[in-house]
Amino acid sequence: PVKTEKQVPEKKFFLRKKVVDKINHAQGLLPKGYHLLIMDVLRTENMIWKLYRNYFEKKRKENPELSDKEIDLWLRNLLAMPDDPAPPGHMTGGAVDIVLADSEGKKIPLEIDYENIPKEEQKFTFCPKLPKEIAEKRKILYDALTREGFHNYSREYWHYSYGDPYWAVRRKNKVAIYGIPSKELFEEI
């Protein structure tokens, strides 16, 4: 079965049903002993702005010489924001951060020590400096999900989407399948 990193009963993940069905089918395409591990899914507008504020303050402390505008620009290259021209994938329920796990649900390493390759370089799906065994594991993840119609955001090996605006653009579709769900559905999260 597909596993979730957050094994807290009161926490719920929200995704579109078709996305869940495709993830479950992709699970069946994995080699024996591999499982999909969901890290993050739908984010509400409030959740994204909270992430933005937290990252903003952290960046300000780490780099006091940067202006607010420079920090904002840096963050907008990191996070898809609610005020972007197209809705962020995580706000639509069509994007998922997902990695591989072993049969016990333990995350399989898809990165190496950051002293060997900086974290910023390792984020790319096809980072050319990765050891062969790590690159092969990323390819297993990539192949299973793309065969189900997901599109990988190549700057984040863990980010896949189906039906959101970025997915539509990358596939040259004129319209996305999913937009932002009604806020009333998610008042409690």
Side-chain angles (χ1 to χ4, degrees), residues 62-73:
E62 292 172 353
N63 304 93
E65 74 284 358
L66 294 178
S67 70
D68 286 357
K69 189 172 184 172
E70 290 170 315
I71 296 172
D72 177 73
L73 181 61

Side-chain angles (χ1 to χ4, degrees), residues 20-35:
V20 172
D21 292 344
K22 287 182 166 297
I23 289 170
N24 284 328
H25 193 264
Q27 171 64 53
L29 300 174
L30 296 175
K32 186 176 170 127
Y34 286 91
H35 297 273

Side-chain angles (χ1 to χ4, degrees), residues 6-176:
K6 300 171 187 172
Q7 297 292 336
V8 183
E10 64 273 9
K11 295 277 185 184
K12 294 181 181 175
F13 280 150
F14 294 94
L15 279 171
R16 302 288 182 156
K17 182 180 182 330
K18 189 167 186 175
V19 174
V20 172
D21 292 344
K22 287 182 166 297
I23 289 170
N24 284 328
H25 193 264
Q27 171 64 53
L29 300 174
L30 296 175
K32 186 176 170 127
Y34 286 91
H35 297 273
L36 295 172
L37 177 64
I38 296 172
M39 307 295 286
D40 199 12
V41 290
L42 184 128
R43 297 178 192 153
T44 64
E45 183 174 352
N46 289 340
M47 293 165 82
I48 293 173
W49 284 114
K50 183 178 178 182
L51 271 173
Y52 175 91
R53 287 189 298 274
N54 289 342
Y55 281 134
F56 193 98
E57 290 308 314
K58 183 179 179 194
K59 191 71 168 174
R60 180 188 306 261
K61 287 177 185 169
E62 292 172 353
N63 304 93
E65 74 284 358
L66 294 178
S67 70
D68 286 357
K69 189 172 184 172
E70 290 170 315
I71 296 172
D72 177 73
L73 181 61
W74 179 83
L75 281 169
R76 288 175 182 279
N77 281 303
L78 177 70
L79 294 171
M81 299 301 296
D83 58 355
D84 285 349
H90 281 290
M91 282 184 68
T92 70
V96 60
D97 292 343
I98 192 165
V99 294
L100 292 175
D102 63 21
S103 55
E104 276 84 51
K106 184 180 173 201
K107 190 174 173 181
I108 292 174
L110 296 175
E111 298 177 7
I112 61 170
D113 190 322
Y114 297 144
E115 290 179 13
N116 294 323
I117 302 174
K119 182 178 184 176
E120 289 303 310
E121 289 181 42
Q122 290 192 54
K123 289 172 28 176
F124 289 87
T125 304
F126 298 108
C127 173
K129 296 179 185 175
L130 285 174
K132 184 179 179 183
E133 64 273 9
I134 299 290
E136 287 171 352
K137 289 175 184 165
R138 285 190 184 187
K139 184 92 167 76
I140 289 170
L141 177 68
Y142 179 88
D143 287 348
L145 291 167
T146 57
R147 281 180 59 189
E148 279 303 304
F150 285 91
H151 198 283
N152 170 247
Y153 176 53
S154 64
R155 291 173 52 184
E156 296 177 348
Y157 70 84
W158 59 86
H159 183 91
Y160 287 83
S161 63
Y162 178 84
D164 69 10
Y166 294 109
W167 169 89
V169 167
R170 290 187 292 262
R171 293 176 51 93
K172 296 181 178 27
N173 291 9
K174 293 186 182 201
V175 295

